[in-house]
Amino acid sequence: MSEDEKLLKEAKKLPWEDRLAHKNWKVRNDANIDLAAVCDAITDPKDPRLREFGEDLFVSRDRSSPFFRKAVADSNAPVQEKALDALIAFLKAADADAGRYAKEVCDAIVAKCLTGRPKTVEKAQMAFMLWVELEAVEAFLDAMEKAIKNKVAKAVVPAIDVMFQALSEFGSKIIPPKRILKMLPELFDHQDQNVRASSKGLTLELCCWIGKDPVKSILFEKM
């Protein structure tokens, strides 16, 4: 058995939070893989393990960042991606009660995942959609308002795209159009053409749900 294999074997005996915060990236990576597998196997949203994971991994008890918030912000790109896998698996297994954990994790995803590798960005968007499904719409839109202010344009486009997805899939009764309307002037003012192009698609989707007049009035007011 190699040294790495020994290390991973010993680490499996540790509590989840110790594994997920381990100084060795291979241990953190392995922990996220195992956590995702456990959550994937859970079929009952009232399974006590989900509450345990919620309390242990989303809630800060010593004034440091909660573990899931730190995990999705991991400086090691492969570990970060596996952390998103674990988060997605948890959210798929959980019920709306998990929505109360959304805010800090959504903010961390906005801060650290939207400029990542394409797969990382895709998984970040999937996590946002699951938060919306779990009724954490306000936390999602609060995070989007922060995302569109990112100085890196390539982080803004995925935020616009996931708002489009959310509005398209869940509709205006779930996604408050006013919140998105307020963002449009800033998006159309953006210097990057890709941001402006994505904003047009989002605007057209808004028009499908609420008509053209409210959108026109917001944009004309800005002009």
Side-chain angles (χ1 to χ4, degrees):
M1 188 182 289
S2 70
E3 288 301 315
D4 280 349
E5 287 171 334
K6 286 178 185 176
L7 176 67
L8 294 178
K9 185 179 179 181
E10 285 302 309
K12 285 182 188 292
K13 300 173 186 175
L14 298 171
W16 284 110
E17 55 265 39
D18 291 346
R19 293 177 67 192
L20 291 164
H22 202 279
K23 63 181 181 181
N24 187 295
W25 73 269
K26 292 180 181 178
V27 173
R28 299 198 305 277
N29 199 59
D30 194 55
N32 281 305
I33 292 170
D34 285 352
L35 182 58
V38 171
C39 291
D40 279 337
I42 294 174
T43 55
D44 179 4
K46 297 299 182 188
D47 189 302
R49 287 174 293 178
L50 292 173
R51 180 171 290 277
E52 177 192 328
F53 293 152
E55 291 173 355
D56 287 348
L57 305 178
F58 286 99
V59 180
S60 177
R61 295 182 180 178
D62 58 359
R63 299 194 179 185
S64 63
S65 295
F67 288 102
F68 252 130
R69 180 181 175 178
K70 286 193 286 192
V72 298
D74 201 294
S75 58
N76 182 295
V79 175
Q80 182 187 45
E81 201 170 305
K82 293 301 181 190
L84 285 168
D85 286 340
L87 175 63
I88 287 165
F90 174 88
L91 296 178
K92 283 181 176 178
D95 60 16
D97 185 56
R100 61 198 168 110
Y101 303 128
K103 180 175 169 40
E104 286 196 331
V105 181
C106 284
D107 287 350
I109 293 173
V110 162
K112 297 295 182 180
C113 299
L114 296 183
T115 54
R117 304 185 298 188
K119 262 295 184 199
T120 301
V121 173
E122 186 182 315
K123 289 174 181 180
Q125 291 175 317
M126 192 183 301
F128 283 133
M129 291 293 284
L130 288 165
W131 282 121
V132 174
E133 197 172 312
L134 293 173
E135 302 176 14
V137 177
E138 292 301 312
F140 164 67
L141 289 172
D142 287 348
M144 292 301 98
E145 286 177 350
K146 293 174 184 173
I148 67 166
K149 297 181 186 304
N150 197 308
K151 292 178 182 178
V152 182
K154 80 170 193 173
V156 180
V157 172
I160 299 170
D161 289 348
V162 80
M163 282 192 280
F164 174 92
Q165 288 175 44
L167 187 59
S168 175
E169 187 167 324
F170 296 102
S172 59
K173 287 186 178 179
I174 302 297
I175 307 296
K178 284 184 180 179
R179 293 287 301 271
I180 297 178
L181 273 171
K182 287 179 182 177
M183 300 184 214
L184 290 184
E186 187 171 348
L187 293 172
F188 277 102
D189 254 0
H190 205 282
Q191 293 180 341
D192 187 87
Q193 63 178 2
N194 294 321
V195 170
R196 296 195 302 273
S198 292
S199 302
K200 289 176 185 175
L202 178 60
T203 304
L204 288 172
E205 186 63 27
L206 264 177
C207 290
C208 290
W209 289 99
I210 62 172
K212 294 180 182 178
D213 290 342
V215 178
K216 277 183 181 177
S217 66
I218 285 283
L219 294 178
F220 284 146
E221 187 180 304
K222 171 67 179 174
M223 290 166 69

